[in-house]
Amino acid sequence: MLSDSTTTIVAERPLVADVVAGAPRVAEIAARSAEETEAARRLAPAAVEAVREAGFARHFVPAAHGGADGRFTDMTAAVTLVGQGCASAAWAASLSAYAARYGAFLPPEGQDEIWADGPNALMAGALMPAGKAEPASGGWRLSGEWRYISGVRFADWVFACSAVPDGRPGPDGRPEVRFFAVPRADVVVRDTWFTMGMRGTGSDTMALDDVFVPAHRTLSRFDINAGRATASEARCHTVPVDALNALPLAVPVLGAARGALRVAAEQTMRRVDRRGAPVREKPPVQIELARSAGEVDAAELLMQRAARVADGTEQAREGEAAVRGPRDLALAVGLLVSAVDRIFKAGGTTSHFEADPLQRFWRDVNTAASHVIFDFETTGAAFGAWALGAEGAERGR
């Protein structure tokens, strides 16, 4: 039986999270401005504001700063909805929301600064360490370039990531890596994002030239990995990062695949063969669509499970979440590529024209899927080693 305190928390949480309720409007605006977004190679301003207003920025912000202390299942649902309209908008919204989680690991003074104007500040973050961080009186000085910073042009704050000299080594012996919250005014953006797909993410290069970052605006990646948040006990801040893994990057691909399925079905309903017979009545066409839809459903189930594990509403064996999640998400993205490749090929010549949204979804899915985090050879080997080790341990008891 639930305790009184738990019952109160559940009752106060809205049945539908703000970010889920607002996502359909974001999808509509993003789809309508997709051509503008692709041409500019960054989100259209209307799409950016829609993302902010829908609550993506505040979803993982601590409640103490007006945020939602949100659930990963809600974010997964919201990003999937946005991706059906535009994969680039879903990617930017997802990564901005997850970057805001970093703020919960800053010292209180740093949190007060980045959310001084409220919880809707949009964030961007580097995933891999780069540049150079040098100790300075009261903080650090940063210089260098960070590539592939999605949403850097519209972010209010950017978390630069860099290895630090004389930092505490991690459990694996590697040097400490820290994140540094840098205001947009200190950032120079280099126009480097020229790609086949995911054009609208605006994942350009960030350059910093001897920028001072005070100590209260920096945090250790070790703390994020372990879920050691500052003054927050919310699950979204205390969950180890292994339970999240590639979820922020995988879900936009799911949304794009769902968008591709919708467009393909709509186009098939209108198509006729050379004799004027409806294409939709042909069993091979129906079977191809069914197989692709099944693969997308399977991928979604895997992602939803990962989100539930991250939320703590579904449990995994000790050590399992850290290897099963990466395996599941890599496998899921592979299924999505298979599904979208199939329906794109079935679309015929018309699907290759730039005005056809199906080719945009196909480009976006294949571009996003090339991310190294979805390499199944790596994630599969890690899971296999764990599973065989766990089985061996069970037999030895």
Side-chain angles (χ1 to χ4, degrees):
M1 186 172 182
L2 293 174
S3 67
D4 291 340
S5 60
T6 303
T7 303
T8 301
I9 292 172
V10 173
E12 290 178 351
R13 189 184 287 275
L15 293 177
V16 178
D18 288 348
V19 73
V20 179
R25 179 174 179 270
V26 180
E28 179 184 353
I29 293 172
R32 193 166 59 236
S33 57
E35 289 187 13
E36 177 186 353
T37 289
E38 284 227 318
R41 291 174 294 105
R42 67 196 70 162
L43 283 194
V48 173
E49 286 312 303
V51 167
R52 191 193 303 268
E53 291 171 5
F56 282 91
R58 64 179 177 270
H59 186 72
F60 291 127
V61 172
H65 292 280
D69 279 342
R71 294 178 292 226
F72 296 102
T73 46
D74 289 329
M75 181 56 60
T76 296
V79 172
T80 301
L81 288 169
V82 174
Q84 294 179 44
C86 174
S88 289
W91 183 277
S94 180
L95 266 63
S96 182
Y98 278 88
R101 288 183 64 250
Y102 297 173
F105 296 83
L106 288 171
E109 186 180 353
Q111 295 187 30
D112 290 343
E113 187 170 352
I114 66 171
W115 290 309
D117 296 324
N120 289 320
L122 290 169
M123 309 286 177
L127 297 178
M128 298 300 295
K132 185 177 183 180
E134 296 183 326
S137 177
W140 301 81
R141 305 205 75 89
L142 295 183
S143 295
E145 292 189 348
W146 287 258
R147 301 174 66 190
Y148 312 138
I149 311 299
S150 300
V152 66
R153 291 186 180 274
F154 64 71
D156 299 299
W157 292 86
V158 183
F159 285 91
C161 179
S162 187
V164 296
D166 301 323
R168 51 177 171 148
D172 57 2
R174 294 181 181 180
E176 182 180 19
V177 172
R178 298 191 70 84
F179 285 94
F180 303 85
V182 180
R184 179 63 180 83
D186 289 344
V187 172
V188 174
V189 179
R190 305 202 190 285
D191 194 14
T192 57
W193 189 244
F194 296 87
T195 57
M196 180 189 79
M198 302 299 285
R199 292 174 179 171
T201 63
S203 303
D204 287 310
T205 298
M206 172 180 71
L208 301 178
D209 183 12
D210 196 33
V211 171
F212 176 72
V213 179
H216 64 262
R217 277 202 266 117
T218 180
L219 58 113
S220 173
R221 192 166 71 176
F222 295 151
D223 291 336
I224 292 179
N225 289 349
R228 292 190 292 265
T230 305
S232 174
E233 296 181 0
R235 172 71 182 187
C236 64
H237 303 133
T238 58
V239 60
V241 78
D242 282 344
L244 306 178
N245 188 256
L247 196 61
L249 306 177
V251 179
V253 187
L254 170 63
R258 287 236 168 268
L261 275 176
R262 185 195 68 245
V263 170
E266 291 171 351
Q267 292 178 349
T268 300
M269 290 294 291
R270 298 192 298 266
R271 290 173 60 196
V272 296
D273 63 15
R274 293 179 181 178
R275 299 180 180 180
V279 171
R280 66 178 181 274
E281 297 179 359
K282 298 179 179 295
V285 172
Q286 298 165 351
I287 293 169
E288 291 281 85
L289 185 62
R291 188 178 298 279
S292 289
E295 288 178 333
V296 174
D297 284 349
E300 184 165 21
L301 290 171
L302 289 170
M303 293 187 195
Q304 288 174 341
R305 181 170 70 175
R308 290 195 303 271
V309 170
D311 279 334
T313 57
E314 180 170 328
Q315 302 302 314
R317 287 186 290 169
E318 183 178 355
E320 184 178 20
V323 291
R324 190 182 69 186
R327 179 209 67 181
D328 284 356
L329 295 172
L331 179 62
V333 169
L335 289 171
L336 296 174
V337 170
S338 172
V340 174
D341 281 353
R342 184 181 299 106
I343 58 179
F344 178 67
K345 182 179 179 180
T349 302
T350 57
S351 63
H352 289 261
F353 280 78
E354 289 187 352
D356 193 312
L358 189 55
Q359 56 80 30
R360 172 168 54 87
F361 284 124
W362 177 80
R363 287 188 288 106
D364 288 343
V365 165
N366 278 274
T367 297
S370 69
H371 197 290
V372 66
I373 205 167
F374 300 130
D375 177 35
F376 192 78
E377 298 299 316
T378 301
T379 61
F383 177 83
W386 173 86
L388 293 172
E391 182 66 23
E394 288 290 330
R395 288 178 179 273
R397 289 181 180 177

